[in-house]
Amino acid sequence: MSLPPPLVPPPRILMGPGPSEIQPRVLAALSCPTVGHLDPYYLELMNHMQQLLRRTFRTENQLTFAVSGTGSAGMECAVVNLVEPGDSVLVCVCGVFGQRMADVAARAGGKVTQIEKPWGQVFTPDDLAPALRRASPKVVGLILAETSTGAWQPLEEIARLVRDAGALLVVDAVTALGGIPVEVDAWGLDVVYAGSQKCLSCPPGLAPITFSPRAVDHVQQRRTPVQSWYLDVRLLSQYWGSDRVYHHTAPINMTYALYEALRLIDEEGLEACFARHALHHRALRAGLEALGLTYLSDPRHTLPMLNAVAVPPGVDEAAVRRELLSRFGIEIGGGLGAYKGRAWRIGLMGHGARSNNVLLLLAALDQLLAHEGHSFERGAAVAAANRVYELSN
Ligand SMILES: *Cc1c(COP(=O)(O)O)cnc(C)c1O
């Protein structure tokens, strides 16, 4: 029998909805020697990691750590710790990830009320107020950056409303963290989770999470054990806290990677990092609009790191993505759910938010859309993006 082929992943420019491009220092961190998960070096690293996570989440929350799992594990961890069977849970759904949170809450035994908005839109305090009165939920779930639509959900006022209603607010910041502000303490958010592979420039595999003291109290006062042993924060906090009780073997090298990724953000500065995402979004947007493409999200609430645009009539959605990958080495995303076959989702996340990526993608789309018979002014997209960059200098 012949040997299976050697491992030779093709070099790619990752401009989809995640995973995003990995910063070279983060890749190097992955290959550092593995130590034990109770090694003094590792325990010290966990402390530094928690500090960096608190800084990135802008919180003083003691219970701040990284779940061993992807963003969805962060979602499960948030929900299963707060929700007991029979608890009323209100989930705001205007895309795939809100729907996923509603599913997770129902599986945890929650009595789930869903409120919905059309895809691409966001929720206002007025949308929530009647639902809060009707459902009087214990937990409210909301997606800050809805990756399926590119919509940016404002949180500050809604968080106040939820708090006044006596409920706990769970926020999905998987795509948001590192790309737009996530003000855990200033906005009074209760549980917020993220993922390593979106704006943190790290491979998938860890889910940063933070619990407010109020959320921790709720977990402590549960009448029933958390249905997931692996994600039970009462057990996990004994490993992340000073006791260092073995729970599961931490993914050591992924911890190195996330640590280095968070250090990079700290070096750049969070505000500078947000400004970089915003700049490249403006340049990309100018270019996409010059190609005659339109955004699907509410123009007042468009995320910088996830650009969802409509596929023009007559253009073969999948063929364009296939050619981008095979001829230009660029990955972008197709549509999910209601947007399946109708949208392209272009990510500008973390290390991927750079001018060379923006300009290459626009040049490639200029070529491919012309070939598809879409009509627009050739060359105008790259010029429009360059104008944004020149003005910003
Ligand atoms: C990507 C994503 C998730 C899921 O994360 P995985 O790492 O794929 O498990 C959850 N919520 C949002 C908003 C996301 O973008």
Side-chain angles (χ1 to χ4, degrees):
M1 202 182 80
S2 63
L3 271 175
L7 179 70
V8 192
R12 299 289 196 217
I13 296 167
L14 297 176
M15 299 186 74
S20 61
E21 289 209 86
I22 315 298
Q23 218 279 354
R25 262 170 57 186
V26 175
L27 272 185
L30 270 174
S31 63
C32 289
T34 304
V35 298
H37 67 286
L38 294 170
D39 189 292
Y41 179 81
Y42 190 72
L43 299 181
E44 195 52 38
L45 191 68
M46 287 166 74
N47 290 334
H48 293 307
M49 166 89 115
Q50 284 181 291
Q51 270 176 12
L52 282 171
L53 285 173
R54 288 190 192 104
R55 219 177 285 178
T56 314
F57 275 127
R58 292 189 161 151
T59 184
E60 302 287 322
N61 289 343
Q62 186 58 34
L63 188 54
T64 303
F65 63 101
V67 176
S68 303
T70 66
S72 304
M75 183 187 283
E76 296 245 25
C77 183
V79 172
V80 299
N81 279 283
L82 294 185
V83 176
E84 291 192 71
D87 282 348
S88 169
V89 183
L90 177 67
V91 186
C92 303
V93 180
C94 54
V96 164
F97 293 103
Q99 195 64 59
R100 184 176 296 182
M101 198 195 284
D103 186 5
V104 172
R107 285 164 189 248
K111 263 192 3 263
V112 178
T113 305
Q114 249 174 254
I115 51 172
E116 297 182 22
K117 291 277 278 212
W119 279 44
Q121 294 189 18
V122 297
F123 289 88
T124 64
D126 288 344
D127 294 326
L128 262 87
L132 284 170
R133 275 194 302 275
R134 251 182 297 120
S136 68
K138 176 180 161 191
V139 176
V140 175
L142 208 53
I143 313 294
L144 171 52
E146 181 49 83
T147 320
S148 59
T149 68
W152 180 348
Q153 172 67 57
L155 275 186
E156 200 168 358
E157 275 183 68
I158 285 179
R160 202 173 307 127
L161 198 69
V162 169
R163 204 166 47 250
D164 291 348
L168 295 162
L169 182 57
V170 172
V171 172
D172 179 315
V174 174
T175 284
L177 194 68
I180 54 174
V182 182
E183 297 282 353
V184 173
D185 286 1
W187 296 341
L189 313 179
D190 290 297
V191 183
V192 184
Y193 58 88
S196 48
Q197 82 277 23
K198 311 261 168 122
C199 290
L200 302 180
S201 320
C202 185
L206 285 175
I209 195 166
T210 185
F211 286 73
S212 72
R214 216 160 70 99
V216 172
D217 282 347
H218 271 79
V219 179
Q220 298 298 357
Q221 285 159 18
R222 287 178 64 106
R223 303 175 305 275
T224 56
V226 173
Q227 137 265 328
S228 165
W229 177 87
Y230 193 67
L231 299 173
D232 183 339
V233 291
R234 279 188 290 193
L235 303 176
L236 287 168
S237 61
Q238 291 174 29
Y239 175 52
W240 283 89
S242 49
D243 299 347
R244 302 300 191 184
V245 179
Y246 163 70
H247 180 261
H248 66 274
T249 310
I252 309 297
N253 291 55
M254 267 307 295
T255 308
Y256 296 163
L258 181 58
Y259 180 69
E260 191 62 10
L262 294 169
R263 279 188 69 231
L264 278 159
I265 290 179
D266 209 49
E267 257 175 56
E268 181 179 8
L270 258 184
E271 292 299 333
C273 200
F274 302 153
R276 176 167 54 81
H277 282 86
L279 168 66
H280 297 296
H281 162 72
R282 284 201 310 279
L284 177 69
R285 181 178 198 127
L288 293 174
E289 286 172 353
L291 290 169
L293 300 176
T294 51
Y295 275 68
L296 289 163
S297 47
D298 179 332
R300 292 160 304 169
H301 300 287
T302 299
L303 288 168
M305 78 289 277
L306 197 288
N307 298 264
V309 292
V311 177
V315 170
D316 185 336
E317 184 276 315
V320 170
R321 278 191 295 127
R322 226 174 15 248
E323 291 289 300
L324 276 174
L325 193 67
S326 63
R327 286 172 56 193
F328 297 88
I330 302 174
E331 177 182 282
I332 66 168
L336 285 180
Y339 286 168
K340 194 168 162 45
R342 298 208 291 123
W344 288 311
R345 291 182 303 146
I346 302 166
L348 286 174
M349 298 183 179
H351 184 57
R354 304 201 304 285
S355 56
N356 43 357
N357 283 4
V358 169
L359 296 171
L360 178 63
L361 174 67
L362 291 173
L365 284 175
D366 185 282
Q367 186 74 24
L368 297 176
L369 288 175
H371 183 75
E372 285 281 322
H374 176 57
S375 91
F376 58 94
E377 187 194 335
R378 296 293 305 270
V382 170
N386 274 319
R387 252 190 322 275
V388 171
Y389 289 130
E390 278 155 23
L391 288 174
S392 79
N393 275 332

